[in-house]
Amino acid sequence: MSSSFVYASVRTPFGRFNGALADTRTDDLAATALKGLLDRSPDLDPGLVDDVFWGNANGAGEDNRNVGRMAVLLAGMPVSVTATTVNRLCGSSLDAAMMAARMIEVDDAEIAIAGGVESMTRAPWVLPKPSRRFPAGDVTAVSTTLGWRLVNERMPAEWTASLGECNEQLQEKFSISRERQDEFAARSHRLAAEAWAKGFYDDLVVPVPGTDLVQDESIRTDTSIEALARLKPAFRPDGTITAGNCSPLNDGASAVLLGSASAAATIGRDPLARIAGRGWAALEPQQFGYAPVEAANGALERAGITWDDIGAVELNEAFAVQSIACVDAWIGLGLRDAEVVNAKGGAIAIGHPLGASGGRILGTLAARLVESGERWGVAAICIGVGQGLAVVLENVT
């Protein structure tokens, strides 16, 4: 089979819930990332993009009706460019990139775009249709922002626990202290702020028209371990997870340009990294935070390398506790140093707009490999309802 390569990536700044991007429609966020990606490769005729794969987790509001296709049209691409929308919850845009890569590797395409979007601010409330006309009782509107909704009563209760409760269970299983979680969160903010200050994200982020947001809105430059330690538990009265040591609710979009080796002339630039391996895994739904462990192990096996070879890891920080559990497991398998994980900050600081996060970590990983000169890296993400995805990149610059 052929190989597939990452050629470029961009994303919007990630806005806070009800923050600077709250007035921007979800499909417009998607179009901004897509247009920003194409602007990075002015020699590429957009009509030569074979397909667009777009991640989105909620899909209940302005992201309905195949938001990938909406993004193509709103970005001004030719109407002949096809697009599909992928929903694997938090892993949607990483899944989209994996699908695009496979399409290239089996020679069904030369050039493809993957990306994702989420506006958690603008996710609507939904009402279930009644079983009969004009019911006399009240009907509850259900938020689609995050987590379970309209749960099937046949699902075991332990499977449908809140995301926070599931991670408190992980904390108990692996005995990960509140102090470690707060230290991890403070590090995320510090490294993200440093990366922005040093210009690392300047070429990876495009502004959203009509807003003045130029950096990720959730980064707290003034946070500290001491400040985080004062926050109250969010999910259990005696718990360890707080609003400070898990990812916030966010709005944003990401996009990645992929192609074959021979597509370089058409795109007008050289590739950054090769898609060397992919992995996926599933556990009981309440253990979703730990699923990246086996997903990444599988991706490494398919790439033909081991953790000893890895010089950079981008792990989506849904919660500090699940991130620490994953990193501890990988250290035990040979990862050389925990400091190679999220060296430019992670989702606790940057944010986690569900459908956009996979594209963010993949693009950030490629940029980190180019900057450091390291050969191998892993992007991994946990996914609600018990799943995980991972991709291995090989630096080819």
Side-chain angles (χ1 to χ4, degrees), residues 140-161:
T140 301
V142 179
S143 173
T144 63
T145 295
L146 180 69
W148 290 89
R149 76 282 310 239
L150 306 178
V151 179
N152 190 317
E153 63 182 14
R154 296 193 299 110
M155 283 280 188
E158 62 270 22
W159 286 1
T160 61

Side-chain angles (χ1 to χ4, degrees), residues 146 163-165 167-168 178 181-182 184-186 188-189 218 220 228 231-235 240-250 288 316-323 346-352:
L146 180 69
L163 303 180
E165 169 58 27
N167 277 273
E168 288 287 10
R178 165 76 182 269
Q181 294 176 58
D182 288 345
F184 187 90
S188 184
H189 284 279
S218 295
R220 296 285 300 272
L228 291 167
L231 297 177
K232 294 181 179 179
F235 302 101
T240 63
I241 299 172
T242 72
N245 59 32
C246 62
S247 61
L249 305 178
N250 296 94
F288 75 93
N316 193 58
E317 299 168 354
F319 292 80
V321 64
Q322 59 83 207
S323 300
I348 289 173
I350 293 168
H352 179 23

Side-chain angles (χ1 to χ4, degrees), residues 34 52 54 65-75 77-85:
L34 184 52
V52 174
W54 208 260
R65 299 294 291 169
N66 188 359
V67 70
R69 175 64 172 168
M70 298 300 104
V72 164
L73 298 175
L74 290 168
M77 296 182 73
V79 297
S80 58
V81 177
T82 56
T84 190
T85 297

Side-chain angles (χ1 to χ4, degrees), residues 294-344:
E294 284 306 315
N297 291 345
L300 288 171
E301 182 177 354
R302 292 180 180 91
I305 60 173
T306 68
W307 281 108
D308 292 337
D309 299 303
I310 296 300
V313 176
E314 284 293 314
L315 171 63
N316 193 58
E317 299 168 354
F319 292 80
V321 64
Q322 59 83 207
S323 300
I324 294 168
C326 291
V327 174
D328 285 352
W330 293 331
I331 290 290
L333 293 169
L335 179 64
R336 67 182 76 160
D337 187 350
E339 291 303 307
V340 306
V341 179
N342 299 352
K344 305 298 182 181

Side-chain angles (χ1 to χ4, degrees), residues 44-301:
L44 172 61
D45 176 357
L48 296 178
V49 175
D50 291 297
D51 209 351
V52 174
F53 298 81
W54 208 260
N56 179 243
N58 283 331
E62 297 151 347
D63 43 7
N64 75 92
R65 299 294 291 169
N66 188 359
V67 70
R69 175 64 172 168
M70 298 300 104
V72 164
L73 298 175
L74 290 168
M77 296 182 73
V79 297
S80 58
V81 177
T82 56
T84 190
T85 297
V86 178
N87 185 350
R88 204 191 286 243
L89 300 181
C90 303
S92 296
S93 52
L94 193 61
D95 205 11
M98 294 164 70
M99 291 178 179
R102 290 188 189 104
M103 189 178 194
I104 292 164
E105 289 165 16
V106 298
D107 296 326
D108 278 347
E110 281 286 308
I111 301 168
I113 291 174
V117 66
E118 211 74 55
S119 176
M120 300 177 82
T121 298
R122 297 175 73 89
W125 295 279
V126 296
L127 287 173
K129 284 188 175 180
S131 58
R132 57 189 176 86
R133 290 182 297 170
F134 311 122
D138 296 334
V139 179
T140 301
V142 179
S143 173
T144 63
T145 295
L146 180 69
W148 290 89
R149 76 282 310 239
L150 306 178
V151 179
N152 190 317
E153 63 182 14
R154 296 193 299 110
M155 283 280 188
E158 62 270 22
W159 286 1
T160 61
S162 73
L163 303 180
E165 169 58 27
C166 292
N167 277 273
E168 288 287 10
Q169 293 175 26
L170 271 185
Q171 184 276 327
E172 290 178 331
K173 180 176 181 178
F174 294 105
S175 300
I176 297 170
S177 68
R178 165 76 182 269
E179 290 72 24
R180 284 191 73 190
Q181 294 176 58
D182 288 345
E183 289 171 3
F184 187 90
R187 173 185 182 269
S188 184
H189 284 279
R190 174 175 56 81
L191 293 178
E194 288 176 0
W196 270 109
K198 293 177 181 178
F200 174 82
Y201 287 114
D202 290 353
D203 291 334
L204 292 176
V205 176
V206 294
V208 177
T211 75
D212 57 5
L213 186 64
V214 295
Q215 294 189 4
D216 302 308
E217 197 175 12
S218 295
I219 298 172
R220 296 285 300 272
T221 57
D222 60 345
T223 197
S224 65
I225 296 172
E226 293 74 23
L228 291 167
R230 291 193 290 270
L231 297 177
K232 294 181 179 179
F235 302 101
R236 292 181 179 179
D238 59 346
T240 63
I241 299 172
T242 72
N245 59 32
C246 62
S247 61
L249 305 178
N250 296 94
D251 310 326
S254 64
V256 182
L257 178 62
L258 299 106
S260 65
S262 60
T266 304
I267 294 172
R269 63 192 304 161
D270 293 328
L272 304 175
R274 180 176 69 92
I275 306 286
R278 291 174 289 264
W280 51 95
L283 303 171
E284 290 183 312
Q286 67 270 31
Q287 296 183 37
F288 75 93
Y290 198 67
V293 173
E294 284 306 315
N297 291 345
L300 288 171
E301 182 177 354

Side-chain angles (χ1 to χ4, degrees), residues 352-373:
H352 179 23
L354 308 177
S357 290
R360 177 190 73 80
I361 62 172
L362 189 65
T364 302
L365 179 64
R368 283 184 58 196
L369 292 174
V370 171
E371 179 190 63
S372 68

